Amino acid sequence: MYTTLSVLLILSLSFLACEGGDTCCSQPCQNRGVCTAIGQDSYECDCTRTGYYGQNCTTPEFFTWLKVSLKPKLNTVHFIMTHFKAVWNIVNNISFLRNSVMRYVLTSRADLIDSPPTYNSAYGYKSWEAYSNLSYFTRTLPPVPKDCPTPMGVRGKKELPDVKVVAEKLLMRRKFIPDPQRTSLMFAFFAQHFTHQFFKTDMKRGPAFTKAKNHGVDLSHIYGEELERQHKLRLFKDGKLKYQVLDGEVYPPIASEVQVDMHYPPHVPESRRFAVGHEAFGLVPGLMMFATIWLREHNRVCDVLKQEHPDWDDERLFQTARLILIGETIKIVIEEYVQHLSGYHLKLKFDPELLFNQRFQYQNRISAEFNTLYHWHPLMPDNFHIQDEVYNYKQFLYNTSIVTDYGINNLVESFSKQIAGRVAGGRNVPLALVMVATKSLENGRQMRFQSLNSYRMRFNMKPYTSFEELTGEKEMAAELEELYGHVDAVELYSGLLVEKPRTNAIFGETIVEMGAPYSLKGLMGNPICSPEYWKPSTFGGKVGFDIINTATLQKLVCNNVKGPCPIASFLVPDGVDSVATTINASTSHSGSKDMNPTLLLKERASEL
């Protein structure tokens, strides 16, 4: 699994003195073995069903040795999947080959996620509470024991560096670094909108807790988390959601009229305080754009179902439309969103039947590590380009007028043409969002996340042996060494953002190899993907089933705008250069001249 040298370096930790500390602080148990401290000077590794044995679960059983010996390295697999396009074109056109590879992608990723969940931030060992208490994010790795010699166990300095210093030296943008994959802002806002149905940190209780009632794709960001909110947003006629019509087009209703709580600062006029499923989506026009598109889609699907089933009542139309929209969402996410991020030439496929004969559990719990990993704030540009206008953050935040003044068509076109920032490689978090990154570091420390290298090993990656290997250069490597002292002490969040990107890619290896298992398990673990649900009758018959199976981002937009349909793309088209150098601060559309963007973002940090 790792090189001999790497294993020896890892095992050497188990012999370091942990004076006055937990004997598991050195994380001696490898290959997913479970460490239990025995007294003050001993420990025991439980190697059950790991495929390894020995004091530290490092000696492979024969079939494990054979499997590991034959298995290619993750970077080799990535190289194969992102090259040899002609070969993959053949695979994509032969159904059983494409299905076989896609099934392997799904199962190999999903098998890395524990189901049922094993830990939460309050318990470094298995407990019924860790399994049953849904108010916690689950944990992939247990917290670092409280009484270790260093914050990361036994490696590194006695104290972690100041979070503001880490953010300033390693994370803050010097100059905008565009994503070499040409990811668009349409993708960035889709990511933010999509993930906030299950990333809902309950900051009143702490970063280990979630306000989400469900740990997966339930579209609560469209329909509301609580039943009371859902009912306020519903029209209770023909299954539809409430709406208003402006200039002949449908938009979300006004918050005061439907009595739904939304987070808006005092300067936003009542007439611009739109009400949607997530209370914070008035923050950014890109979020309200997607909220509007999905509102229109829900009501459109209700019309289709009503025509097909004129005898159905409001409740059945609503519930069935919601199931259809969940299916549309998952299909778009796998076949376009994940497809874009992967860079694979294999054409990814949303087909739940691929897993029907596999060992697979249709349940999911969102982990705190996944929540942290998904803080992709470097995606955001320095300013936002909409047609001929350029908005800075001060003008953009809470400016819902942008949505109605330009219309969905123009926003989709503009966001599809503007390039997003590269996430990995360090020093690309916009100044306006640095405090959010700082908060992410603080939260990780509060939850006592293990190191970047610990998570790399957990997800079958070789641990980094030097700072230069981690960053791929010398300057940030030197800064990291000064701050952390040892590569095994680099924190998860800072490590993810400074890690060297893969060749011409938006991410480094760790984000991809950690994020993909969480994503695919969460998507395919949805109840609608189970054999009991995945059949036409669940979705109102063939008509509803076809809506899911033919869903695309482009179709979603075209079905819900008037006039010519704009290009809707997660990839900025070739030849488009939208990174302007000037900001039109006098734009008449800003409507937010007195806002302090840093204060507003600080206020809503947990919602970003």
Side-chain angles (χ1 to χ4, degrees):
M1 189 174 295
Y2 316 117
T3 65
T4 303
L5 176 60
S6 299
V7 172
L8 289 173
L9 288 171
I10 296 162
L11 292 182
S12 68
L13 294 178
S14 63
F15 299 103
L16 293 175
C18 297
E19 184 177 351
D22 191 312
T23 50
C24 291
C25 285
S26 61
Q27 301 162 21
C29 305
Q30 303 304 300
N31 301 305
R32 299 177 72 169
V34 179
C35 183
T36 302
I38 300 176
Q40 295 183 347
D41 57 1
S42 185
Y43 65 87
E44 181 178 79
C45 291
D46 184 349
C47 309
T48 304
R49 288 183 292 278
T50 63
Y52 292 81
Y53 62 94
Q55 181 180 358
N56 295 316
C57 308
T58 54
T59 304
E61 297 170 359
F62 175 73
F63 286 108
T64 301
W65 171 83
L66 186 63
K67 180 181 176 181
V68 170
S69 299
L70 296 175
K71 188 175 182 179
K73 295 180 180 179
L74 291 174
N75 276 329
T76 301
V77 173
H78 182 79
F79 180 85
I80 293 171
M81 300 286 276
T82 56
H83 291 73
F84 314 109
K85 188 173 182 179
V87 175
W88 287 112
N89 284 341
I90 296 172
V91 172
N92 291 332
N93 286 291
I94 301 176
S95 293
F96 83 90
L97 286 179
R98 181 187 176 198
N99 288 346
S100 296
V101 179
M102 188 66 205
R103 185 181 295 109
Y104 171 76
V105 169
L106 292 172
T107 55
S108 63
R109 300 292 195 180
D111 285 348
L112 289 169
I113 304 301
D114 291 329
S115 185
T118 47
Y119 306 105
N120 65 27
S121 293
Y123 296 90
Y125 49 88
K126 293 182 179 71
S127 66
W128 186 255
E129 180 74 9
Y131 162 74
S132 64
N133 193 337
L134 297 179
S135 66
Y136 278 96
F137 288 112
T138 188
R139 289 284 293 267
T140 301
L141 288 179
V144 175
K146 290 183 178 179
D147 55 352
C148 291
T150 72
M152 286 295 152
V154 298
R155 291 294 201 187
K157 299 185 176 182
K158 297 293 184 181
E159 293 184 2
L160 288 169
D162 185 278
V163 291
K164 293 181 179 178
V165 174
V166 174
E168 180 182 347
K169 289 189 174 183
L170 300 172
L171 307 183
M172 186 172 68
R173 177 176 293 161
R174 272 66 168 164
K175 180 181 179 182
F176 177 72
I177 305 171
D179 169 36
Q181 287 185 222
R182 296 188 66 80
T183 298
S184 71
L185 279 193
M186 192 70 175
F187 173 93
F189 289 128
F190 185 96
Q192 193 175 22
H193 183 268
F194 164 71
T195 59
H196 279 75
Q197 63 189 297
F198 45 78
F199 291 152
K200 295 182 177 180
T201 306
D202 187 349
M203 295 310 297
K204 290 182 180 179
R205 301 182 65 185
F209 294 89
T210 176
K211 294 184 289 185
K213 304 300 181 185
N214 179 57
H215 285 241
V217 179
D218 63 353
L219 305 195
S220 57
H221 60 326
I222 297 173
Y223 302 108
E225 189 70 57
E226 305 288 348
L227 190 60
E228 179 184 4
R229 187 180 186 91
Q230 179 198 116
H231 284 175
K232 289 180 178 180
L233 290 171
R234 285 177 60 178
L235 188 61
F236 286 105
K237 181 180 179 182
D238 297 335
K240 294 184 176 182
L241 295 170
K242 290 178 180 176
Y243 61 93
Q244 62 172 319
V245 178
L246 300 172
D247 296 326
E249 294 203 78
V250 167
Y251 290 95
I254 301 301
S256 60
E257 293 179 1
V258 297
Q259 297 297 301
V260 168
D261 179 52
M262 292 290 293
H263 296 168
Y264 288 103
H267 75 272
V268 178
E270 289 288 334
S271 62
R272 297 299 184 184
R273 298 186 180 197
F274 300 142
V276 295
H278 197 296
E279 65 273 10
F281 277 3
L283 176 68
V284 182
L287 295 176
M288 194 57 69
M289 173 194 71
F290 272 113
T292 302
I293 291 171
W294 283 111
L295 164 64
R296 294 177 183 181
E297 177 66 1
H298 174 91
N299 288 352
R300 185 191 74 83
V301 169
C302 285
D303 285 336
V304 173
L305 291 173
K306 179 72 173 179
Q307 184 174 357
E308 187 76 7
H309 304 283
D311 57 318
W312 279 12
D313 61 12
D314 167 78
E315 189 66 23
R316 187 165 187 181
L317 290 169
F318 171 82
Q319 297 295 347
T320 305
R322 181 173 185 167
L323 291 175
I324 290 172
L325 262 67
I326 290 173
E328 288 186 83
T329 298
I330 296 175
K331 186 172 192 297
I332 291 170
V333 169
I334 288 179
E335 294 192 0
E336 298 184 67
Y337 178 93
V338 176
Q339 179 79 63
H340 170 71
L341 284 181
S342 70
Y344 288 174
H345 291 312
L346 168 70
K347 191 176 180 182
L348 300 183
K349 182 180 184 181
F350 173 50
D351 182 0
E353 294 187 18
L354 293 175
L355 296 176
F356 284 0
N357 294 321
Q358 305 296 312
R359 188 187 69 172
F360 193 78
Q361 295 191 27
Y362 293 95
Q363 57 177 299
N364 188 57
R365 286 282 291 277
I366 300 297
S367 75
E369 295 98 336
F370 190 31
N371 187 12
T372 295
L373 175 148
Y374 232 112
H375 281 59
W376 296 347
H377 297 105
L379 284 172
M380 289 293 106
D382 291 329
N383 43 65
F384 304 88
H385 303 232
I386 305 173
Q387 291 189 304
D388 296 328
E389 301 286 355
V390 182
Y391 292 82
N392 59 30
Y393 281 84
K394 184 176 180 180
Q395 298 165 328
F396 198 66
L397 296 179
Y398 290 110
N399 192 352
T400 55
S401 297
I402 287 175
V403 181
T404 52
D405 287 351
Y406 288 101
I408 301 301
N409 303 54
N410 290 322
L411 290 185
V412 169
E413 181 179 34
S414 297
F415 293 148
S416 294
K417 289 182 176 180
Q418 184 171 358
I419 199 165
R422 190 183 68 189
V423 175
R427 296 176 177 169
N428 206 25
V429 176
L431 180 61
L433 297 172
V434 168
M435 51 70 50
V436 184
T438 301
K439 188 66 176 177
S440 298
L441 283 166
E442 292 174 347
N443 291 344
R445 294 178 182 187
Q446 188 174 337
M447 291 184 282
R448 305 199 313 281
F449 281 153
Q450 293 188 31
S451 69
L452 176 76
N453 264 348
S454 294
Y455 283 99
R456 284 181 60 81
M457 289 187 286
R458 169 61 179 77
F459 285 89
N460 297 339
M461 289 172 276
K462 183 180 76 69
Y464 289 119
T465 57
S466 71
F467 291 103
E468 286 190 28
E469 185 186 14
L470 166 59
T471 63
E473 50 83 90
K474 296 183 181 297
E475 183 186 347
M476 279 191 296
E479 295 277 16
L480 278 168
E481 185 166 14
E482 181 181 347
L483 292 170
Y484 289 103
H486 195 284
V487 70
D488 285 340
V490 175
E491 297 170 90
L492 175 64
Y493 179 67
S494 57
L496 291 171
L497 291 194
V498 301
E499 183 180 35
K500 62 182 180 293
R502 279 174 161 163
T503 304
N504 294 321
I506 188 171
F507 295 135
E509 179 187 32
T510 312
I511 283 186
V512 173
E513 301 302 334
M514 278 185 68
Y518 289 130
S519 297
L520 293 176
K521 176 62 172 69
L523 293 166
M524 300 305 296
N526 193 283
I528 74 158
C529 299
S530 68
E532 291 75 18
Y533 274 70
W534 188 250
K535 53 188 69 174
S537 58
T538 302
F539 309 101
K542 182 178 183 300
V543 170
F545 210 34
D546 285 346
I547 291 175
I548 296 174
N549 288 316
T550 61
T552 65
L553 178 67
Q554 188 68 62
K555 191 173 182 180
L556 173 67
V557 171
C558 290
N559 281 337
N560 293 291
V561 296
K562 287 187 175 181
C565 184
I567 293 176
S569 176
F570 293 147
L571 177 71
V572 174
D574 290 335
V576 173
D577 183 9
S578 63
V579 182
T581 57
T582 59
I583 297 177
N584 184 354
S586 64
T587 174
S588 60
H589 299 285
S590 69
S592 53
K593 294 179 180 177
D594 298 324
M595 289 194 296
N596 183 323
T598 303
L599 292 178
L600 287 172
L601 286 166
K602 186 175 183 179
E603 179 185 357
R604 298 292 176 230
S606 66
E607 295 159 355
L608 291 170

